[in-house]
Amino acid sequence: MVALKNSAEIKAMEKACRISAETLQLAGELIKPGMSTKELDRKLHEFIKKQGAVPSFLGYGGFPGCACISLNDQVIHGIPSDKVIIKDGDLVKVDVGAYIDGFHGDNAATYAVGEISPEARLLMDATRDSLYKAIEAAVPGNRLGDIGHAVQSHVEQFGFGVVRDFVGHGVGRKLHESPEVPNFGTAGKGIRLLPGMTLAIEPMINAKGHEVKILKDGWTVKTVSGSLSAHFEHTIAITTNGPVILTRP
Ligand code: MG
């Protein structure tokens, strides 16, 4: 069942989402060559605590970090580690959420470290653009398939692959709520989008092929092809006036 939120609940969610967005922005400012992903994670955790919030991901299903930090051909769910050192040329994906006043926020971004290849730049830009196209499609009266179709039709024109095995989701009192929000689909199909839905829309896009596998650590998801992958995510609310991005700093 989809938990629709009233305007007071959406108002309450704004705080969790703002903290999530500020944490993600901080990640972008902190990332530099030579830093371990654990050190980055520690700083993000400190920031979230200072806001009086709790990291949504820490301990979720046993996840051992505050943020998921995934490099290059890793798609999502990278575990922060002292042994993983960020280098020039890396694509660093940070996915982080904050919980406060009974609600979660959830957002993600891909950051380029120094110089990256034109192909990597195109992948990042196309993935980010596909997120905003999906958000534009999240209007009352549209259907869930319109969101996935917006992502898929945008990125596939570049030959990129939409990850199928992991999808976006409802978010609110729980980190993962109904419905699932695939990044692929058919326009005009699926459940009707309604005011009061709060969704985490999160295209995960591979440079080559859509297949992914989970590493032996039980968490890290990487591309089967070994190609780069990009990920962007916002938490949005669907209102009678259209979509509102809640994860804005
Ligand atoms: Mg999410």
Side-chain angles (χ1 to χ4, degrees):
M1 211 188 66
V2 177
L4 298 178
K5 280 81 175 177
N6 61 33
S7 53
E9 290 172 308
I10 291 174
K11 188 89 203 144
M13 262 185 87
E14 279 173 8
K15 190 168 172 189
C17 288
R18 180 179 43 79
I19 295 169
S20 301
E22 286 171 356
T23 309
L24 187 60
Q25 189 180 45
L26 177 66
E29 291 162 11
L30 291 173
I31 288 170
K32 62 172 195 299
M35 174 185 256
S36 77
T37 56
K38 185 73 195 175
E39 184 185 348
L40 176 60
D41 189 65
R42 230 178 268 126
K43 289 186 166 149
L44 301 182
H45 193 172
E46 276 165 27
F47 178 80
I48 290 173
K49 270 201 295 200
K50 229 166 57 192
Q51 314 307 310
V54 173
S56 295
F57 300 178
L58 184 62
Y60 187 90
F63 187 75
C66 159
C68 299
I69 307 175
S70 314
L71 304 189
N72 303 320
D73 64 347
Q74 298 175 353
V75 180
I76 47 168
H77 299 170
I79 299 173
S81 165
D82 283 320
K83 295 192 190 87
V84 178
I85 308 296
I86 295 167
K87 307 182 304 300
D88 219 21
D90 279 346
L91 276 196
V92 183
K93 283 137 281 180
V94 179
D95 191 347
V96 68
Y99 178 78
I100 191 168
D101 296 344
F103 288 95
H104 292 277
D106 189 4
N107 61 177
T110 302
Y111 297 108
V113 186
E115 284 293 298
I116 58 167
S117 68
E119 198 212 23
R121 179 66 58 190
L122 179 64
L123 176 69
M124 271 182 69
D125 290 346
T127 304
R128 189 192 304 103
D129 290 347
S130 77
L131 170 59
Y132 287 100
K133 285 176 186 294
I135 293 170
E136 275 172 37
V139 295
N142 266 4
R143 289 179 182 274
L144 199 59
D146 291 305
I147 293 177
H149 176 75
V151 172
Q152 186 176 18
S153 59
H154 183 68
V155 301
E156 286 187 349
Q157 64 180 317
F158 303 103
F160 299 146
V162 176
V163 171
R164 308 288 202 271
D165 294 355
F166 296 88
V167 297
H169 51 92
V171 56
R173 293 189 187 276
K174 288 189 285 182
L175 180 60
H176 291 108
E177 298 183 348
S178 286
E180 291 196 337
V181 183
N183 297 299
F184 53 94
T186 307
K189 295 278 187 213
I191 63 165
R192 186 81 70 184
L193 301 178
L194 298 170
M197 286 181 171
T198 47
L199 306 176
I201 303 179
E202 50 176 324
M204 294 155 250
I205 308 300
N206 299 342
K208 280 193 203 80
H210 65 79
E211 298 87 353
V212 297
K213 63 182 178 190
I214 299 175
L215 298 188
K216 280 201 211 79
D217 64 22
W219 282 103
T220 312
V221 176
K222 75 179 281 298
T223 62
V224 168
S225 68
S227 78
L228 293 173
S229 189
H231 182 208
F232 287 89
E233 175 181 31
H234 272 308
T235 295
I236 67 149
I238 300 178
T239 75
T240 48
N241 298 321
V244 175
I245 297 175
L246 299 179
T247 39
R248 281 203 193 280

PDB file of all heavy atoms in Angstrom, residues 11-44:
ATOM      1  N   LYS A  11       5.693  18.637   5.093  1.00  0.00           N
ATOM      2  CA  LYS A  11       6.435  19.718   5.770  1.00  0.00           C
ATOM      3  C   LYS A  11       7.475  19.103   6.717  1.00  0.00           C
ATOM      4  O   LYS A  11       8.636  19.527   6.752  1.00  0.00           O
ATOM      5  CB  LYS A  11       5.425  20.575   6.540  1.00  0.00           C
ATOM      6  CG  LYS A  11       5.976  21.825   7.142  1.00  0.00           C
ATOM      7  CD  LYS A  11       5.878  22.975   6.146  1.00  0.00           C
ATOM      8  CE  LYS A  11       6.910  24.016   6.515  1.00  0.00           C
ATOM      9  NZ  LYS A  11       7.517  24.679   5.398  1.00  0.00           N
ATOM     10  N   ALA A  12       7.066  18.092   7.473  1.00  0.00           N
ATOM     11  CA  ALA A  12       7.988  17.440   8.417  1.00  0.00           C
ATOM     12  C   ALA A  12       9.114  16.737   7.667  1.00  0.00           C
ATOM     13  O   ALA A  12      10.262  16.720   8.113  1.00  0.00           O
ATOM     14  CB  ALA A  12       7.229  16.452   9.302  1.00  0.00           C
ATOM     15  N   MET A  13       8.791  16.166   6.520  1.00  0.00           N
ATOM     16  CA  MET A  13       9.810  15.475   5.715  1.00  0.00           C
ATOM     17  C   MET A  13      10.853  16.429   5.167  1.00  0.00           C
ATOM     18  O   MET A  13      11.992  16.034   4.904  1.00  0.00           O
ATOM     19  CB  MET A  13       9.148  14.747   4.535  1.00  0.00           C
ATOM     20  CG  MET A  13       8.912  13.284   4.788  1.00  0.00           C
ATOM     21  SD  MET A  13       8.271  12.448   3.322  1.00  0.00           S
ATOM     22  CE  MET A  13       9.785  11.999   2.477  1.00  0.00           C
ATOM     23  N   GLU A  14      10.452  17.677   4.980  1.00  0.00           N
ATOM     24  CA  GLU A  14      11.375  18.661   4.396  1.00  0.00           C
ATOM     25  C   GLU A  14      12.658  18.775   5.205  1.00  0.00           C
ATOM     26  O   GLU A  14      13.736  18.963   4.645  1.00  0.00           O
ATOM     27  CB  GLU A  14      10.710  20.041   4.304  1.00  0.00           C
ATOM     28  CG  GLU A  14       9.807  20.190   3.106  1.00  0.00           C
ATOM     29  CD  GLU A  14       9.021  21.500   3.125  1.00  0.00           C
ATOM     30  OE1 GLU A  14       9.287  22.360   3.984  1.00  0.00           O
ATOM     31  OE2 GLU A  14       8.129  21.635   2.271  1.00  0.00           O
ATOM     32  N   LYS A  15      12.521  18.653   6.541  1.00  0.00           N
ATOM     33  CA  LYS A  15      13.701  18.812   7.394  1.00  0.00           C
ATOM     34  C   LYS A  15      14.686  17.665   7.170  1.00  0.00           C
ATOM     35  O   LYS A  15      15.881  17.897   6.970  1.00  0.00           O
ATOM     36  CB  LYS A  15      13.260  18.889   8.856  1.00  0.00           C
ATOM     37  CG  LYS A  15      14.359  19.289   9.801  1.00  0.00           C
ATOM     38  CD  LYS A  15      13.765  19.616  11.167  1.00  0.00           C
ATOM     39  CE  LYS A  15      14.832  19.846  12.209  1.00  0.00           C
ATOM     40  NZ  LYS A  15      14.244  19.941  13.555  1.00  0.00           N
ATOM     41  N   ALA A  16      14.164  16.435   7.199  1.00  0.00           N
ATOM     42  CA  ALA A  16      15.030  15.278   6.959  1.00  0.00           C
ATOM     43  C   ALA A  16      15.675  15.380   5.576  1.00  0.00           C
ATOM     44  O   ALA A  16      16.855  15.043   5.396  1.00  0.00           O
ATOM     45  CB  ALA A  16      14.224  13.988   7.078  1.00  0.00           C
ATOM     46  N   CYS A  17      14.909  15.849   4.633  1.00  0.00           N
ATOM     47  CA  CYS A  17      15.406  15.937   3.254  1.00  0.00           C
ATOM     48  C   CYS A  17      16.447  17.040   3.107  1.00  0.00           C
ATOM     49  O   CYS A  17      17.425  16.885   2.387  1.00  0.00           O
ATOM     50  CB  CYS A  17      14.243  16.154   2.295  1.00  0.00           C
ATOM     51  SG  CYS A  17      13.234  14.672   2.093  1.00  0.00           S
ATOM     52  N   ARG A  18      16.230  18.157   3.812  1.00  0.00           N
ATOM     53  CA  ARG A  18      17.204  19.249   3.726  1.00  0.00           C
ATOM     54  C   ARG A  18      18.542  18.804   4.333  1.00  0.00           C
ATOM     55  O   ARG A  18      19.606  19.051   3.763  1.00  0.00           O
ATOM     56  CB  ARG A  18      16.684  20.494   4.440  1.00  0.00           C
ATOM     57  CG  ARG A  18      17.655  21.671   4.379  1.00  0.00           C
ATOM     58  CD  ARG A  18      17.132  22.928   5.080  1.00  0.00           C
ATOM     59  NE  ARG A  18      16.497  22.680   6.352  1.00  0.00           N
ATOM     60  CZ  ARG A  18      17.143  22.457   7.496  1.00  0.00           C
ATOM     61  NH1 ARG A  18      18.467  22.444   7.516  1.00  0.00           N
ATOM     62  NH2 ARG A  18      16.483  22.234   8.610  1.00  0.00           N
ATOM     63  N   ILE A  19      18.475  18.107   5.459  1.00  0.00           N
ATOM     64  CA  ILE A  19      19.718  17.624   6.082  1.00  0.00           C
ATOM     65  C   ILE A  19      20.400  16.606   5.155  1.00  0.00           C
ATOM     66  O   ILE A  19      21.616  16.623   4.980  1.00  0.00           O
ATOM     67  CB  ILE A  19      19.434  17.033   7.484  1.00  0.00           C
ATOM     68  CG1 ILE A  19      18.935  18.147   8.418  1.00  0.00           C
ATOM     69  CG2 ILE A  19      20.673  16.348   8.050  1.00  0.00           C
ATOM     70  CD1 ILE A  19      18.370  17.654   9.735  1.00  0.00           C
ATOM     71  N   SER A  20      19.610  15.747   4.544  1.00  0.00           N
ATOM     72  CA  SER A  20      20.173  14.775   3.593  1.00  0.00           C
ATOM     73  C   SER A  20      20.882  15.498   2.454  1.00  0.00           C
ATOM     74  O   SER A  20      21.992  15.113   2.045  1.00  0.00           O
ATOM     75  CB  SER A  20      19.061  13.893   3.006  1.00  0.00           C
ATOM     76  OG  SER A  20      18.374  13.206   4.022  1.00  0.00           O
ATOM     77  N   ALA A  21      20.252  16.544   1.955  1.00  0.00           N
ATOM     78  CA  ALA A  21      20.817  17.285   0.820  1.00  0.00           C
ATOM     79  C   ALA A  21      22.088  18.026   1.228  1.00  0.00           C
ATOM     80  O   ALA A  21      23.061  18.070   0.465  1.00  0.00           O
ATOM     81  CB  ALA A  21      19.776  18.258   0.271  1.00  0.00           C
ATOM     82  N   GLU A  22      22.077  18.591   2.427  1.00  0.00           N
ATOM     83  CA  GLU A  22      23.270  19.312   2.884  1.00  0.00           C
ATOM     84  C   GLU A  22      24.433  18.340   3.117  1.00  0.00           C
ATOM     85  O   GLU A  22      25.590  18.682   2.875  1.00  0.00           O
ATOM     86  CB  GLU A  22      22.950  20.100   4.155  1.00  0.00           C
ATOM     87  CG  GLU A  22      22.104  21.331   3.846  1.00  0.00           C
ATOM     88  CD  GLU A  22      21.562  22.051   5.073  1.00  0.00           C
ATOM     89  OE1 GLU A  22      21.772  21.575   6.212  1.00  0.00           O
ATOM     90  OE2 GLU A  22      20.903  23.086   4.881  1.00  0.00           O
ATOM     91  N   THR A  23      24.100  17.142   3.563  1.00  0.00           N
ATOM     92  CA  THR A  23      25.135  16.123   3.770  1.00  0.00           C
ATOM     93  C   THR A  23      25.750  15.721   2.431  1.00  0.00           C
ATOM     94  O   THR A  23      26.974  15.580   2.304  1.00  0.00           O
ATOM     95  CB  THR A  23      24.544  14.883   4.473  1.00  0.00           C
ATOM     96  OG1 THR A  23      23.824  15.294   5.630  1.00  0.00           O
ATOM     97  CG2 THR A  23      25.630  13.903   4.866  1.00  0.00           C
ATOM     98  N   LEU A  24      24.893  15.562   1.441  1.00  0.00           N
ATOM     99  CA  LEU A  24      25.372  15.184   0.104  1.00  0.00           C
ATOM    100  C   LEU A  24      26.228  16.299  -0.502  1.00  0.00           C
ATOM    101  O   LEU A  24      27.274  16.033  -1.118  1.00  0.00           O
ATOM    102  CB  LEU A  24      24.175  14.885  -0.795  1.00  0.00           C
ATOM    103  CG  LEU A  24      24.483  14.323  -2.178  1.00  0.00           C
ATOM    104  CD1 LEU A  24      25.236  12.998  -2.080  1.00  0.00           C
ATOM    105  CD2 LEU A  24      23.190  14.137  -2.975  1.00  0.00           C
ATOM    106  N   GLN A  25      25.796  17.531  -0.286  1.00  0.00           N
ATOM    107  CA  GLN A  25      26.564  18.676  -0.780  1.00  0.00           C
ATOM    108  C   GLN A  25      27.940  18.723  -0.099  1.00  0.00           C
ATOM    109  O   GLN A  25      28.966  18.952  -0.746  1.00  0.00           O
ATOM    110  CB  GLN A  25      25.786  19.953  -0.490  1.00  0.00           C
ATOM    111  CG  GLN A  25      26.370  21.183  -1.151  1.00  0.00           C
ATOM    112  CD  GLN A  25      25.543  22.425  -0.821  1.00  0.00           C
ATOM    113  OE1 GLN A  25      25.159  22.657   0.334  1.00  0.00           O
ATOM    114  NE2 GLN A  25      25.250  23.209  -1.822  1.00  0.00           N
ATOM    115  N   LEU A  26      27.944  18.458   1.207  1.00  0.00           N
ATOM    116  CA  LEU A  26      29.201  18.427   1.955  1.00  0.00           C
ATOM    117  C   LEU A  26      30.133  17.355   1.382  1.00  0.00           C
ATOM    118  O   LEU A  26      31.340  17.581   1.239  1.00  0.00           O
ATOM    119  CB  LEU A  26      28.919  18.157   3.439  1.00  0.00           C
ATOM    120  CG  LEU A  26      30.134  18.014   4.344  1.00  0.00           C
ATOM    121  CD1 LEU A  26      30.902  19.337   4.436  1.00  0.00           C
ATOM    122  CD2 LEU A  26      29.716  17.558   5.753  1.00  0.00           C
ATOM    123  N   ALA A  27      29.570  16.209   1.025  1.00  0.00           N
ATOM    124  CA  ALA A  27      30.382  15.138   0.430  1.00  0.00           C
ATOM    125  C   ALA A  27      31.097  15.658  -0.816  1.00  0.00           C
ATOM    126  O   ALA A  27      32.299  15.433  -0.997  1.00  0.00           O
ATOM    127  CB  ALA A  27      29.509  13.935   0.090  1.00  0.00           C
ATOM    128  N   GLY A  28      30.365  16.388  -1.637  1.00  0.00           N
ATOM    129  CA  GLY A  28      30.951  16.944  -2.860  1.00  0.00           C
ATOM    130  C   GLY A  28      32.090  17.903  -2.574  1.00  0.00           C
ATOM    131  O   GLY A  28      33.061  17.976  -3.329  1.00  0.00           O
ATOM    132  N   GLU A  29      31.973  18.621  -1.461  1.00  0.00           N
ATOM    133  CA  GLU A  29      33.033  19.575  -1.091  1.00  0.00           C
ATOM    134  C   GLU A  29      34.250  18.863  -0.499  1.00  0.00           C
ATOM    135  O   GLU A  29      35.387  19.319  -0.647  1.00  0.00           O
ATOM    136  CB  GLU A  29      32.483  20.592  -0.079  1.00  0.00           C
ATOM    137  CG  GLU A  29      31.464  21.553  -0.692  1.00  0.00           C
ATOM    138  CD  GLU A  29      30.600  22.261   0.355  1.00  0.00           C
ATOM    139  OE1 GLU A  29      30.918  22.180   1.566  1.00  0.00           O
ATOM    140  OE2 GLU A  29      29.589  22.881  -0.046  1.00  0.00           O
ATOM    141  N   LEU A  30      34.010  17.746   0.189  1.00  0.00           N
ATOM    142  CA  LEU A  30      35.094  17.071   0.911  1.00  0.00           C
ATOM    143  C   LEU A  30      35.926  16.137   0.037  1.00  0.00           C
ATOM    144  O   LEU A  30      37.116  15.928   0.287  1.00  0.00           O
ATOM    145  CB  LEU A  30      34.516  16.248   2.068  1.00  0.00           C
ATOM    146  CG  LEU A  30      33.921  17.021   3.247  1.00  0.00           C
ATOM    147  CD1 LEU A  30      33.236  16.050   4.216  1.00  0.00           C
ATOM    148  CD2 LEU A  30      34.990  17.820   3.971  1.00  0.00           C
ATOM    149  N   ILE A  31      35.266  15.529  -0.972  1.00  0.00           N
ATOM    150  CA  ILE A  31      35.936  14.488  -1.758  1.00  0.00           C
ATOM    151  C   ILE A  31      37.211  15.034  -2.394  1.00  0.00           C
ATOM    152  O   ILE A  31      37.172  16.058  -3.076  1.00  0.00           O
ATOM    153  CB  ILE A  31      34.992  13.943  -2.857  1.00  0.00           C
ATOM    154  CG1 ILE A  31      33.903  13.079  -2.210  1.00  0.00           C
ATOM    155  CG2 ILE A  31      35.753  13.145  -3.904  1.00  0.00           C
ATOM    156  CD1 ILE A  31      32.781  12.687  -3.166  1.00  0.00           C
ATOM    157  N   LYS A  32      38.326  14.352  -2.122  1.00  0.00           N
ATOM    158  CA  LYS A  32      39.580  14.735  -2.775  1.00  0.00           C
ATOM    159  C   LYS A  32      40.507  13.525  -2.862  1.00  0.00           C
ATOM    160  O   LYS A  32      40.379  12.580  -2.063  1.00  0.00           O
ATOM    161  CB  LYS A  32      40.241  15.898  -2.044  1.00  0.00           C
ATOM    162  CG  LYS A  32      40.641  15.629  -0.607  1.00  0.00           C
ATOM    163  CD  LYS A  32      41.453  16.824  -0.087  1.00  0.00           C
ATOM    164  CE  LYS A  32      42.207  16.511   1.188  1.00  0.00           C
ATOM    165  NZ  LYS A  32      41.391  16.138   2.335  1.00  0.00           N
ATOM    166  N   PRO A  33      41.426  13.542  -3.833  1.00  0.00           N
ATOM    167  CA  PRO A  33      42.336  12.415  -3.973  1.00  0.00           C
ATOM    168  C   PRO A  33      43.108  12.200  -2.675  1.00  0.00           C
ATOM    169  O   PRO A  33      43.499  13.167  -2.015  1.00  0.00           O
ATOM    170  CB  PRO A  33      43.283  12.851  -5.098  1.00  0.00           C
ATOM    171  CG  PRO A  33      42.573  13.929  -5.835  1.00  0.00           C
ATOM    172  CD  PRO A  33      41.685  14.601  -4.838  1.00  0.00           C
ATOM    173  N   GLY A  34      43.307  10.932  -2.319  1.00  0.00           N
ATOM    174  CA  GLY A  34      44.068  10.595  -1.121  1.00  0.00           C
ATOM    175  C   GLY A  34      43.196  10.332   0.093  1.00  0.00           C
ATOM    176  O   GLY A  34      43.661   9.790   1.093  1.00  0.00           O
ATOM    177  N   MET A  35      41.929  10.715   0.005  1.00  0.00           N
ATOM    178  CA  MET A  35      41.014  10.498   1.134  1.00  0.00           C
ATOM    179  C   MET A  35      40.422   9.093   1.047  1.00  0.00           C
ATOM    180  O   MET A  35      40.061   8.641  -0.035  1.00  0.00           O
ATOM    181  CB  MET A  35      39.900  11.550   1.058  1.00  0.00           C
ATOM    182  CG  MET A  35      38.798  11.376   2.076  1.00  0.00           C
ATOM    183  SD  MET A  35      37.469  12.586   1.773  1.00  0.00           S
ATOM    184  CE  MET A  35      37.827  13.744   3.076  1.00  0.00           C
ATOM    185  N   SER A  36      40.327   8.414   2.196  1.00  0.00           N
ATOM    186  CA  SER A  36      39.671   7.100   2.171  1.00  0.00           C
ATOM    187  C   SER A  36      38.156   7.306   2.230  1.00  0.00           C
ATOM    188  O   SER A  36      37.671   8.337   2.731  1.00  0.00           O
ATOM    189  CB  SER A  36      40.131   6.238   3.352  1.00  0.00           C
ATOM    190  OG  SER A  36      39.503   6.652   4.544  1.00  0.00           O
ATOM    191  N   THR A  37      37.437   6.316   1.728  1.00  0.00           N
ATOM    192  CA  THR A  37      35.976   6.449   1.752  1.00  0.00           C
ATOM    193  C   THR A  37      35.460   6.376   3.191  1.00  0.00           C
ATOM    194  O   THR A  37      34.410   6.920   3.499  1.00  0.00           O
ATOM    195  CB  THR A  37      35.297   5.379   0.870  1.00  0.00           C
ATOM    196  OG1 THR A  37      35.706   4.075   1.276  1.00  0.00           O
ATOM    197  CG2 THR A  37      35.662   5.578  -0.596  1.00  0.00           C
ATOM    198  N   LYS A  38      36.223   5.738   4.075  1.00  0.00           N
ATOM    199  CA  LYS A  38      35.832   5.682   5.492  1.00  0.00           C
ATOM    200  C   LYS A  38      35.938   7.059   6.135  1.00  0.00           C
ATOM    201  O   LYS A  38      35.065   7.458   6.923  1.00  0.00           O
ATOM    202  CB  LYS A  38      36.727   4.676   6.235  1.00  0.00           C
ATOM    203  CG  LYS A  38      36.343   4.446   7.685  1.00  0.00           C
ATOM    204  CD  LYS A  38      35.074   3.633   7.789  1.00  0.00           C
ATOM    205  CE  LYS A  38      34.478   3.688   9.191  1.00  0.00           C
ATOM    206  NZ  LYS A  38      33.193   2.995   9.240  1.00  0.00           N
ATOM    207  N   GLU A  39      37.016   7.777   5.780  1.00  0.00           N
ATOM    208  CA  GLU A  39      37.208   9.122   6.336  1.00  0.00           C
ATOM    209  C   GLU A  39      36.062  10.040   5.878  1.00  0.00           C
ATOM    210  O   GLU A  39      35.514  10.819   6.674  1.00  0.00           O
ATOM    211  CB  GLU A  39      38.560   9.672   5.861  1.00  0.00           C
ATOM    212  CG  GLU A  39      38.918  11.014   6.450  1.00  0.00           C
ATOM    213  CD  GLU A  39      40.215  11.589   5.874  1.00  0.00           C
ATOM    214  OE1 GLU A  39      40.960  10.854   5.179  1.00  0.00           O
ATOM    215  OE2 GLU A  39      40.474  12.782   6.115  1.00  0.00           O
ATOM    216  N   LEU A  40      35.700   9.931   4.613  1.00  0.00           N
ATOM    217  CA  LEU A  40      34.571  10.712   4.099  1.00  0.00           C
ATOM    218  C   LEU A  40      33.304  10.356   4.873  1.00  0.00           C
ATOM    219  O   LEU A  40      32.545  11.234   5.305  1.00  0.00           O
ATOM    220  CB  LEU A  40      34.403  10.437   2.601  1.00  0.00           C
ATOM    221  CG  LEU A  40      33.210  11.086   1.915  1.00  0.00           C
ATOM    222  CD1 LEU A  40      33.271  12.603   2.023  1.00  0.00           C
ATOM    223  CD2 LEU A  40      33.132  10.658   0.441  1.00  0.00           C
ATOM    224  N   ASP A  41      33.086   9.074   5.052  1.00  0.00           N
ATOM    225  CA  ASP A  41      31.885   8.596   5.751  1.00  0.00           C
ATOM    226  C   ASP A  41      31.834   9.141   7.179  1.00  0.00           C
ATOM    227  O   ASP A  41      30.774   9.564   7.657  1.00  0.00           O
ATOM    228  CB  ASP A  41      31.896   7.067   5.771  1.00  0.00           C
ATOM    229  CG  ASP A  41      30.578   6.486   6.271  1.00  0.00           C
ATOM    230  OD1 ASP A  41      29.556   6.680   5.587  1.00  0.00           O
ATOM    231  OD2 ASP A  41      30.573   5.862   7.344  1.00  0.00           O
ATOM    232  N   ARG A  42      32.977   9.133   7.846  1.00  0.00           N
ATOM    233  CA  ARG A  42      33.053   9.625   9.235  1.00  0.00           C
ATOM    234  C   ARG A  42      32.632  11.088   9.304  1.00  0.00           C
ATOM    235  O   ARG A  42      31.887  11.503  10.190  1.00  0.00           O
ATOM    236  CB  ARG A  42      34.494   9.474   9.735  1.00  0.00           C
ATOM    237  CG  ARG A  42      34.616   8.772  11.076  1.00  0.00           C
ATOM    238  CD  ARG A  42      36.071   8.620  11.488  1.00  0.00           C
ATOM    239  NE  ARG A  42      36.641   7.355  11.055  1.00  0.00           N
ATOM    240  CZ  ARG A  42      37.758   7.208  10.340  1.00  0.00           C
ATOM    241  NH1 ARG A  42      38.469   8.262   9.957  1.00  0.00           N
ATOM    242  NH2 ARG A  42      38.182   6.017  10.010  1.00  0.00           N
ATOM    243  N   LYS A  43      33.100  11.875   8.338  1.00  0.00           N
ATOM    244  CA  LYS A  43      32.782  13.311   8.343  1.00  0.00           C
ATOM    245  C   LYS A  43      31.296  13.548   8.061  1.00  0.00           C
ATOM    246  O   LYS A  43      30.690  14.455   8.637  1.00  0.00           O
ATOM    247  CB  LYS A  43      33.652  14.035   7.323  1.00  0.00           C
ATOM    248  CG  LYS A  43      35.098  14.088   7.810  1.00  0.00           C
ATOM    249  CD  LYS A  43      35.998  14.905   6.931  1.00  0.00           C
ATOM    250  CE  LYS A  43      37.298  15.184   7.686  1.00  0.00           C
ATOM    251  NZ  LYS A  43      38.451  15.290   6.814  1.00  0.00           N
ATOM    252  N   LEU A  44      30.726  12.729   7.182  1.00  0.00           N
ATOM    253  CA  LEU A  44      29.297  12.872   6.890  1.00  0.00           C
ATOM    254  C   LEU A  44      28.468  12.490   8.114  1.00  0.00           C
ATOM    255  O   LEU A  44      27.469  13.140   8.439  1.00  0.00           O
ATOM    256  CB  LEU A  44      28.907  12.013   5.683  1.00  0.00           C
ATOM    257  CG  LEU A  44      29.653  12.334   4.385  1.00  0.00           C
ATOM    258  CD1 LEU A  44      29.145  11.453   3.249  1.00  0.00           C
ATOM    259  CD2 LEU A  44      29.523  13.809   4.008  1.00  0.00           C
TER     260      LEU A  44
END
